[in-house]
């Protein structure tokens, strides 16, 4: 880990009010918690069907920059 970004993050968190810091931490934890099933499902499908990496991104929601089944509006 690089010490300068970590120090900058700690200084930024120290400058924020406690409630804001707790809200940021809770939001980050909730985001990671909601992503766990999708990460595990992708790992599981990749283990069962090794060639699925070619078509699996097509099942996305269209939220990211990659391919998906949704058409642009």
């Amino acid at each position: 880990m690089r010490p300068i970004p970590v120090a900058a993050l700690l200084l930024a968190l120290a400058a924020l009010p406690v409630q804001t810091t707790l809200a940021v931490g809770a939001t980050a934890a909730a985001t990671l918690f909601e992503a766990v099933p999708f990460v595990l499902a992708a790992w599981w499908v990749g283990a069962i069907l090794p060639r699925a990496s070619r078509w699996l991104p097509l099942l996305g929601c269209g939220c990211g920059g990659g391919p998906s089944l949704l058409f642009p509006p």
Side-chain angles (χ1 to χ4, degrees):
M1 237 172 169
R2 297 179 184 222
I4 293 176
V6 172
L9 176 65
L10 291 176
L11 285 174
L13 289 175
L16 292 173
V18 175
Q19 293 298 333
T20 304
T21 304
L22 292 175
V24 168
T27 302
T31 302
L32 292 174
F33 182 72
E34 289 180 10
V36 167
F38 297 103
V39 171
L40 291 176
W43 171 77
W44 184 72
V45 169
I48 300 293
L49 304 168
R51 298 186 68 192
S53 63
R54 295 175 61 194
W55 56 265
L56 195 59
L58 295 173
L59 299 178
C61 65
C63 306
S68 67
L69 292 175
L70 298 179
F71 296 104

